[in-house]
């Protein structure tokens, strides 16, 4: 995987970076790759469930991702 993702960047917006081509994470490509965003968000939520994260944390992130 070569994506860098945050559900809430400095401006409150989602951020997705193609780290293979932009290792300094300077170009937000979230609008260009909606499938990648959905995949990364799904993996994040899955990982949180697997490690037993508190439901309130998972729900908070889920709201941020919508």
């Amino acid at each position: 995987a070569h994506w860098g993702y945050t559900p809430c960047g400095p401006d409150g917006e989602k951020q997705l970076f193609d780290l293979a081509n932009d290792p300094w994470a300077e170009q937000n490509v979230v609008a260009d790759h909606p499938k990648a965003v959905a995949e990364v968000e799904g993996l994040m939520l899955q990982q949180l469930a697997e490690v037993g994260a508190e439901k309130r944390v998972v729900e908070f992130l889920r709201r941020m991702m919508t």
Side-chain angles (χ1 to χ4, degrees), residues 4-25:
Y5 172 79
T6 180
C8 185
D11 296 329
E13 299 289 328
K14 294 179 184 183
Q15 292 183 316
L16 182 74
F17 302 100
D18 179 353
L19 297 176
N21 296 306
D22 179 20
W24 297 103

Side-chain angles (χ1 to χ4, degrees), residues 47-64:
Q47 182 67 28
L48 288 169
E50 288 176 8
V51 299
E54 292 183 36
K55 288 184 181 185
R56 65 187 178 95
V57 172
V58 175
E59 287 306 314
F60 174 77
L61 284 172
R62 187 174 310 225
R63 284 193 305 272
M64 289 181 71

Side-chain angles (χ1 to χ4, degrees), residues 3-44:
W3 298 115
Y5 172 79
T6 180
C8 185
D11 296 329
E13 299 289 328
K14 294 179 184 183
Q15 292 183 316
L16 182 74
F17 302 100
D18 179 353
L19 297 176
N21 296 306
D22 179 20
W24 297 103
E26 296 175 318
Q27 176 85 28
N28 185 2
V29 296
V30 73
D32 300 329
H33 299 281
K35 288 182 182 178
V37 172
E39 181 181 340
V40 171
E41 289 177 343
L43 290 171
M44 264 178 101

